[in-house]
Amino acid sequence: MGQTGGISEPEALETVALTPRIGSQVMVDKEALLSGRHAAQIRALLIQRGAVVVRGVALDDEDLRTVARTLGDLRIGSARRGADGAILSEGDGGVLRVTLDERRNPEYARFLFGNQLWHMDGTYEEVPPFATLLAPVRLSQRGGDTLFANTAAAFADLPEEEQRGLEKLRVVHTMQAALFPAKRDCTVEEFALWSSYPQRSHPLVWQHRSGVRSLVLSTSGAYVEGMEPAESHDLLQRLMIHATQDRYVYRHKWQPGDLAIWDNTATMHRVEPFDRDSGRELHRCTLNGEEPVTAPI
Ligand SMILES: [Fe+2]
């Protein structure tokens, strides 16, 4: 700890920008990360940079929970309800196995294929999760990179007149909108199951307490309320293409021992397709949201 006039200050945190507009790597070792002494700086960096990466820390599940708790409110139960009304579990004590292998995660594997399209987590909830932590257990030989897009930077670059127009709009998010594009050959029963999940309307532009404004974009965004369907489709598609241009995107190439954390409230993410039989598995902790999606006044 540095000392200034008897008042202790946090140690400087060494960070490296991974792209100009999104993503920073934090140079800390496992002990420092677990101690939580950089937690306030990592939180601030998450909000500034959208995604934060730490390499070479090799966290087990208990370590992952510990780091998550230094950064926010670890989600144990889920606000999301299954079709039968039961609350879906967030895995083992807040650690969810992200895998397509139904033997490793029977509850979620049948929905996780939707992760290959750009999305925010928890758009069906009134207060979407603040952040997500992801650590690899088994990686695929090919594919499987995770991509992050900065929806605050994408909004900031739009002409002011267009920003003012978008700030008045609301978008309805549905599970069938999120999953159908990833499985166009679904059965009637699958589509009916997705359609049975609750949907949620959010403002298209989020005025965060931090002062940042971001686009609330996700493949789950089905339509703009009160807009002609064709206009709504074209607008959401145009904004999605805008927000996922290379200049707003960081592509994370996983290495064993990595930890990636992202601010779910001002980014989207997706996983690049990978071999289903690869056994690829990452462990995820989710931090509960801290503010509802609020439109600018
Ligand atoms: Fe996700």
Side-chain angles (χ1 to χ4, degrees), residues 57-75:
V57 283
L59 304 180
D60 64 21
D61 286 354
E62 196 46 43
D63 295 334
L64 192 58
R65 288 184 196 97
T66 300
V67 175
R69 287 195 177 102
T70 68
L71 296 173
D73 180 24
L74 175 63
R75 174 170 292 192

Side-chain angles (χ1 to χ4, degrees), residues 115 119-121 262 269 284:
N115 289 355
H119 67 284
M120 286 172 64
D121 292 337
W262 64 93
H269 57 282
R284 182 182 97 180

